[in-house]
Amino acid sequence: NRMTYRLGTSGCNPSKTLSHFDFSAAPGVQRSFITDLATCAFIQRHENLLFCGPTGVGKTHLANALGIEALKRNFRVISKPAYRLLMDLNASRANGSYSRHITSILRADLLILDDFGLQPLPQTAIQDLYEIICERYESGSILVTSNRAFEEWPEVFGNDLLASAALDRLTHHAHPLVIQGESYRQFSKRKEALLKAKS
């Protein structure tokens, strides 16, 4: 029951597990590296994971799967698209729940920020993101997925000094993973079309 509750409140998708990840469709992803991450030792060491690559190559699936592995080991996990998490946090200012909301974000053992940099952020959200990164530095792990190349990440902050300070902390104890390849969704779509044509 505890696992069901933690899974329900984490934001993780129970169907996107490591056993359902197709490593053959992501040849650049080393299974041994992901298996090592799945032990969640990186969480105990307060290290970060940074996944970047084009749309559809499995970044979100892998992030979600590692979140589930963390939940199995009784770690507190929050998983949300970065934009939505920051917008929800900003909205909590209006109803007086900001303190509780930010505390839960900072206390999570693993914070998964999906689709970082996909949508432009207002200044309040950028400031919140900076505070979250700073407060979690060397005290809690952050897993970031992004369609943007690492060198483009400073643009998200719109402020060179803020970007430098935040990314210096985010990348200090981090495992970067660049996933190359074709969109798995498009690959599956073509494969289905081919099978239909043959039948």
Side-chain angles (χ1 to χ4, degrees):
N1 286 342
R2 273 207 308 268
M3 177 62 182
T4 301
Y5 173 77
R6 287 199 304 270
L7 183 59
T9 58
S10 68
C12 290
N13 182 339
S15 68
K16 292 186 180 295
T17 63
L18 281 182
S19 62
H20 289 109
F21 185 77
D22 187 357
F23 283 92
S24 66
V29 179
Q30 291 186 353
R31 187 189 291 265
S32 58
F33 176 64
I34 300 302
T35 301
D36 182 60
L37 293 179
T39 66
C40 297
F42 76 94
I43 298 176
Q44 295 172 315
R45 296 191 296 260
H46 308 309
E47 296 168 349
N48 300 327
L49 305 180
L50 313 174
F51 296 169
C52 81
T55 298
V57 293
K59 302 181 302 295
T60 297
H61 189 140
L62 280 177
N64 188 93
L66 292 173
I68 290 175
E69 292 302 316
L71 288 169
K72 289 178 183 177
R73 291 161 176 78
N74 295 319
F75 289 114
R76 291 166 297 189
V77 178
I78 293 177
S79 177
K80 272 190 179 182
Y83 182 84
R84 199 175 90 208
L85 179 132
L86 293 167
M87 291 299 97
D88 288 350
L89 181 60
N90 187 51
S92 70
R93 288 183 167 93
N95 60 26
S97 64
Y98 176 83
S99 178
R100 177 173 55 81
H101 203 147
I102 190 67
T103 297
S104 69
I105 291 171
L106 297 180
R107 288 185 62 197
D109 298 301
L110 175 62
L111 174 64
I112 300 174
L113 299 176
D114 196 24
D115 286 332
F116 174 75
L118 186 64
Q119 294 173 269
L121 297 169
Q123 190 57 46
T124 53
I126 291 171
Q127 189 63 42
D128 282 338
L129 177 61
Y130 172 76
E131 294 295 337
I132 288 168
I133 292 172
C134 289
E135 290 293 325
R136 291 184 60 84
Y137 177 60
E138 295 186 329
S139 66
S141 295
I142 302 176
L143 195 168
V144 180
T145 78
S146 180
N147 293 346
R148 287 172 170 255
F150 289 132
E151 56 267 23
E152 297 176 5
W153 288 20
E155 297 174 17
V156 176
F157 293 86
N159 177 305
D160 290 343
L161 289 176
L162 211 61
S164 177
L167 294 176
D168 183 58
R169 289 170 173 81
L170 188 66
T171 59
H172 182 206
H173 305 293
H175 301 278
L177 175 63
V178 179
I179 306 176
Q180 305 287 355
E182 180 186 14
S183 167
Y184 181 73
R185 288 182 283 271
Q186 295 304 315
F187 174 76
S188 298
K189 185 178 176 182
R190 280 205 310 276
K191 191 161 74 171
E192 287 173 13
L194 189 62
L195 289 171
K196 284 181 182 176
K198 287 181 177 179
S199 61

